[in-house]
Amino acid sequence: MNPEHPVCVYYGKALARYGFGAGHPFGSDRMGVFGRLLEQRGLTTRVRICPPVQAERDALTRFHTPEYIERLQTLSSLGEGFLDYGDTPAFPGIYEAAATVAGSVLDGIKRLMEGDCRRVFVPIAGLHHARRDRAAGFCAVNDCGIAIETLKQVYGLKRIAYVDIDAHHGDGVFYAFESDPDLYFADLHEDGRYLYPGTGNLMETGKSAARGHKLNLPMPPRAGDELFLQVWDRVEAFVEHCSPEIILLQAGADSLGGDPITHLAYTEAAHAHAARRLCVLADRHCNGRMLAMGGGGYSRANLARAWCAVVEAFLGD
Ligand SMILES: [Zn+2]
């Protein structure tokens, strides 16, 4: 462990390349906006800045089908076409960019598992909609799913907690692990009757051996911090009960008021609270091991504030 910098933040051009061009909600300017606020708040000198790392193909196929990865590589070299039915266009180099998002998360996991640091934040990551065999909702790969499979297959973990506070339901993670008892999944999202992808109702609690290992908590449109804090207690009790070996947080900033494509109304105080409380649980159960992914967030000001709030919580501010 490096006591000087127990918090790692992944940052660099290769990570920013995952974006769909100027004017797109998921544009490649998102990382820089976060970086500027990180700098302004004096946080860059207090964390360890880690360079992005591109994942090997074999790491991606721990979660994705080889056929899908091949299709992604082909469309990436062609530089055009759609990876799904219209939400997720291919661009030249999208394979390398997506593999870099996943690789940075995996590098962060390696550092946590080796005791090199206690907390990791990866902006741009948290592409929670991609399925094992297809892209979806701006997500060409599912770095969360790849991380979970890696924790199981490479590190042999048996109790992994995944908490998702993005406005959208983390369907790509949920359905891939719906019957897997090793993944304890808690997702607070805008009710699927009002927002993409339409899934994640209260009755979806996991199947077969995983029954009771999943918690889906739909929130009404315009829900603010007060309701978030009330409902959050259930997430905390759930994570406490599962006594995890590592905690993953998808800290999507599109659940803040004013996001152009969703209807929730939290402030960054919600993100700060979630990160702070999960740190307490990570210290109690996981030797401090906690990794957060930036997730969605399409108001630039919101994503910078929410992501910096997570980093500040990691630093104990
Ligand atoms: Zn989202």
Side-chain angles (χ1 to χ4, degrees):
M1 170 109 43
N2 179 344
E4 291 294 305
H5 295 288
V7 179
C8 287
V9 174
Y10 283 77
Y11 196 83
K13 275 204 183 85
L15 200 49
R17 283 214 340 265
Y18 190 83
F20 299 92
H24 191 282
F26 205 123
S28 26
D29 58 315
R30 294 169 77 242
M31 194 194 67
V33 174
F34 161 63
R36 280 189 289 281
L37 191 62
L38 202 66
E39 177 92 57
Q40 270 172 34
R41 292 195 183 173
L43 297 170
T44 41
T45 54
R46 300 176 57 206
V47 301
R48 194 176 345 158
I49 300 289
C50 301
V53 177
Q54 186 178 327
E56 299 290 338
R57 190 181 188 280
D58 288 358
L60 306 181
T61 54
R62 284 178 201 140
F63 178 81
H64 291 289
T65 62
E67 294 75 19
Y68 171 65
I69 294 302
E70 200 175 305
R71 186 172 137 71
L72 178 61
Q73 284 178 306
T74 305
L75 285 172
S76 178
S77 354
L78 282 172
E80 57 182 29
F82 279 93
L83 293 162
D84 52 14
Y85 298 109
D87 275 340
T88 319
F91 57 82
I94 189 173
Y95 170 77
E96 289 77 10
T100 300
V101 173
S104 301
V105 170
L106 295 184
D107 195 65
I109 281 178
K110 184 165 177 276
R111 289 180 195 267
L112 290 171
M113 295 309 295
E114 289 174 355
D116 181 42
C117 66
R118 291 170 71 79
R119 325 275 193 225
V120 172
F121 183 78
V122 189
I124 317 305
L127 305 173
H128 60 173
H129 297 304
R131 302 298 181 97
R132 292 188 187 270
D133 62 350
R134 62 190 149 97
F138 311 156
C139 306
V141 298
N142 191 324
D143 55 294
C144 321
I146 295 163
I148 293 160
E149 287 294 357
T150 300
L151 288 164
K152 285 165 57 81
Q153 296 172 29
V154 177
Y155 297 99
L157 297 199
K158 284 287 179 200
R159 292 185 315 280
I160 299 157
Y162 170 90
V163 177
D164 189 325
I165 58 171
D166 189 283
H168 302 94
H169 180 232
D171 58 338
V173 180
F174 179 74
Y175 293 108
F177 297 96
E178 194 176 12
S179 305
D180 185 335
D182 299 347
L183 182 69
Y184 292 82
F185 172 101
D187 194 321
L188 250 166
H189 51 272
E190 183 175 339
D191 192 317
R193 286 175 295 179
Y194 309 101
L195 187 69
Y196 175 93
T199 51
N201 77 59
L202 207 55
M203 307 302 285
E204 295 187 277
T205 58
K207 283 187 173 161
S208 55
R211 194 167 294 276
H213 292 208
K214 321 290 171 198
L215 180 66
N216 279 299
L217 299 167
M219 303 287 276
R222 290 179 292 283
D225 288 351
E226 200 178 332
L227 188 56
F228 176 88
L229 292 175
Q230 274 174 33
V231 176
W232 173 260
D233 288 345
R234 292 184 61 187
V235 173
E236 208 171 304
F238 174 85
V239 174
E240 173 81 60
H241 182 73
C242 88
S243 141
E245 296 162 285
I246 190 167
I247 299 174
L248 308 176
L249 170 66
Q250 203 276 22
D254 50 8
S255 44
L256 267 59
D259 187 89
I261 69 173
T262 74
H263 322 96
L264 293 179
Y266 314 155
T267 71
E268 65 272 25
H271 289 60
H273 183 78
R276 221 180 279 129
R277 298 303 304 168
L278 290 176
C279 282
V280 172
L281 297 180
D283 288 342
R284 192 178 302 154
H285 297 285
C286 324
N287 276 325
R289 288 190 291 260
M290 167 145 183
L291 181 141
M293 297 158 280
Y298 306 104
S299 148
R300 301 305 189 251
N302 279 353
L303 78 82
R305 281 202 299 268
W307 294 355
C308 283
V310 172
V311 173
E312 283 164 347
F314 280 6
L315 285 164
D317 294 359

